[in-house]
Amino acid sequence: MIETMGASVSEDTGISEEAGAARAAQQRKIVNRLRRAQGQLAAVITAVESGGECRDVVIQLAAVSKALDRAGYAIVASAMRNCVADPESESLTPDELEKLFLTLA
């Protein structure tokens, strides 16, 4: 562990502990969004199988879609932050990130 201007940096990864903790927190948020979407999708499937009201099914399906979109945007935004913070370590180019972002639109 190396101390640089008050921030601890791991010698093997070169990532500060704060940056690592921020990435882990962001990953947890994304996983939570995806799990929420998974639960909502299960509810949609159950509603369709049981002949649920069309309006209810469509509203729930819209919620699933929005949750997945938000998770996708969060994933791309996280990759963009990582790319800006350490352009040498990210395998995605800015053009590739832009394409990924546009696939969500």
Side-chain angles (χ1 to χ4, degrees):
M1 197 68 64
I2 301 171
E3 283 288 323
T4 57
M5 296 185 358
S8 299
V9 176
S10 171
E11 289 183 55
D12 28 319
T13 64
I15 299 173
S16 73
E17 288 180 20
E18 293 82 10
R23 284 183 185 177
Q26 183 64 27
Q27 184 177 10
R28 279 192 304 277
K29 287 180 183 179
I30 291 168
V31 168
N32 287 340
R33 283 187 189 277
L34 291 171
R35 286 195 177 128
R36 191 173 317 123
Q38 184 179 34
Q40 291 169 325
L41 182 56
V44 170
I45 292 169
T46 299
V48 170
E49 289 175 340
S50 65
E53 289 289 322
C54 178
R55 178 184 307 234
D56 295 338
V57 170
V58 170
I59 289 170
Q60 193 67 15
L61 192 56
V64 171
S65 179
K66 188 170 185 172
L68 290 173
D69 287 346
R70 288 173 144 322
Y73 291 135
I75 289 167
V76 172
S78 178
M80 290 173 81
R81 276 192 298 278
N82 292 342
C83 184
V84 168
D86 190 3
E88 301 295 318
S89 71
E90 187 60 44
S91 62
L92 296 171
T93 67
D95 287 341
E96 290 169 327
L97 284 169
E98 181 179 355
K99 285 179 186 177
L100 284 174
F101 182 77
L102 291 175
T103 61
L104 296 171

